[in-house]
Amino acid sequence: MVCDSVIDLGLSLRTIQHEPYHTSGQSVGEYREVTDELKSNRGEFLQKKHEARNGRCGKECWSNEGGRKKWGYVKVTMDGFVVGRKVCVLDHGGHSTLAHQLEDMFGMQSVTGLRLFERESEFSLVYKDKEGTWRNAEDVSWKELVENVERLRITRRNDFLLFF
Amino acid sequence: MQGTAVGRAVDLTLLRSYDELISELEKMFEIEGELRSKDKWAIVFTDDEGDMMLVGDDPWDEFCKMAKKLFIYSSDEVKKMSSKSLLDDECTMVQLEPDQRTVKL
């Protein structure tokens, strides 16, 4: 993502998690690394950034390969729950912060919570890569996940075997 | 409100943010404060891929481009929803006109 007319608004994106319009009803506060910057509205930030360029750069500036992934946003669905969510993978630095955000979003769907990537968890996080193959998000490096993820899905651990 | 179909329209192009959309919907149904609380109602939409997503996660401009229909469900209904029962459930459905990007409530 290269653009000559980038205007630095002085906001750090180091560990920003997109604070969407709504806040979750059951936040897993003790797990989230929240700084003052996380409370800024990412959507508003991105809109200002885009407006600052007067749209000269067009979509190429912020969309990744012009595909479904705009600004790193990918869909997340959970088996058995029909309403999907969106997460921005670029907001995260690793599996654990992503897992925390997903816990926030979907944790209330299970009595025990998702506890993704924990050995005892009954849930797995899988992702669909650019070739359309479903893979276990836990098995790949964060870099590989971010570069290849097209979609995320929370599935019951035993059900994942059905993907093959 | 759930289970009623009201012939109203909201033009998304006249709104600049989710905040304004929520305000508009609350005013329309005279339920000020209820949509913002998130405890009582959930606003979901179907996108251009046919998936049902929660309103608010996407950047506003992207939401406007991809949203086709809006649904307002009670939070209890959302928790109980399965893929099969989704479209059968009574809810307030909002139709987005593809040409005008209006929201018909």
Side-chain angles (χ1 to χ4, degrees), chain A residues 97-117:
Chain A
T97 58
L98 175 62
H100 294 158
Q101 185 178 21
L102 295 179
E103 189 72 50
D104 235 13
M105 289 177 163
F106 293 98
M108 72 290 291
Q109 297 303 319
S110 162
V111 174
T112 55
L114 300 180
R115 302 197 299 167
L116 292 171
F117 308 132

Side-chain angles (χ1 to χ4, degrees), chain A residues 121-139:
Chain A
S121 173
E122 57 183 294
F123 295 98
S124 288
L125 180 66
V126 299
Y127 73 99
K128 192 174 176 182
D129 66 14
K130 291 175 187 172
E131 281 111 37
T133 305
W134 287 96
R135 301 181 185 281
N136 193 328
E138 196 173 359
D139 292 341

Side-chain angles (χ1 to χ4, degrees), chain A residues 18 20-23 47 59 62 68 70-71 73 75-76 80-86 105 109 151, chain B residues 18-19 22 36 38 44 47-49 51-59 62 66 78 81-83 86:
Chain A
H18 168 55
Y21 163 73
H22 49 80
T23 55
Q47 189 165 355
K59 279 190 180 180
W62 46 261
R68 303 313 308 176
K70 300 287 197 314
W71 295 324
Y73 285 92
K75 289 182 185 177
V76 190
F81 185 57
V82 71
V83 179
R85 300 293 299 270
K86 283 275 183 59
M105 289 177 163
Q109 297 303 319
R151 192 167 173 140
Chain B
Y18 287 112
D19 208 60
I22 300 301
R36 286 182 202 282
K38 307 299 181 307
V44 300
D47 65 11
D48 46 4
E49 292 179 321
D51 291 319
M52 173 142 296
M53 311 297 292
L54 192 73
V55 166
D57 287 336
D58 296 282
E62 287 306 301
M66 72 176 82
V78 167
M81 272 199 303
S82 64
S83 307
L86 170 65

Side-chain angles (χ1 to χ4, degrees), chain B residues 1-9 25 28-29 31 35 41-46 52 55 69-74 77-78 81 86-96 103-105:
Chain B
M1 188 176 73
Q2 188 164 323
T4 60
V6 180
R8 305 283 298 274
L25 294 176
M28 203 167 269
F29 290 100
I31 48 166
L35 289 180
W41 303 103
I43 311 174
V44 300
F45 73 101
T46 49
M52 173 142 296
V55 166
K69 285 183 188 177
L70 284 185
F71 299 85
I72 303 174
Y73 283 97
S74 70
E77 203 61 46
V78 167
M81 272 199 303
L86 170 65
L87 294 172
D88 295 337
D89 282 344
E90 287 192 337
C91 67
T92 298
M93 190 170 78
V94 175
Q95 182 86 32
L96 284 159
V103 166
K104 195 181 290 181
L105 296 168

Side-chain angles (χ1 to χ4, degrees), chain A residues 147-164:
Chain A
E147 286 174 358
N148 293 287
V149 64
E150 290 291 317
R151 192 167 173 140
L152 289 163
R153 180 170 164 175
I154 299 164
T155 184
R156 292 198 180 269
R157 202 175 272 276
N158 294 331
D159 292 349
F160 178 56
L161 298 174
L162 298 174
F163 281 88
F164 300 99

Side-chain angles (χ1 to χ4, degrees), chain A residues 5-73:
Chain A
S5 58
V6 171
I7 295 178
D8 184 5
L9 298 179
L11 296 177
S12 168
L13 293 178
R14 182 173 54 84
T15 53
I16 271 191
Q17 282 199 12
H18 168 55
E19 200 68 19
Y21 163 73
H22 49 80
T23 55
S24 60
Q26 295 177 5
S27 71
V28 189
E30 61 268 28
Y31 297 116
R32 294 185 69 175
E33 299 166 38
V34 178
T35 67
D36 288 341
E37 288 154 344
L38 297 181
K39 289 173 184 152
S40 67
N41 186 313
R42 181 185 170 88
E44 193 179 301
F45 161 65
L46 289 169
Q47 189 165 355
K48 281 179 183 166
K49 194 175 176 185
H50 192 236
E51 285 169 2
R53 299 198 209 104
N54 294 318
R56 277 176 291 166
C57 300
K59 279 190 180 180
E60 290 70 34
C61 269
W62 46 261
S63 77
N64 194 338
E65 299 156 8
R68 303 313 308 176
K69 237 163 80 174
K70 300 287 197 314
W71 295 324
Y73 285 92

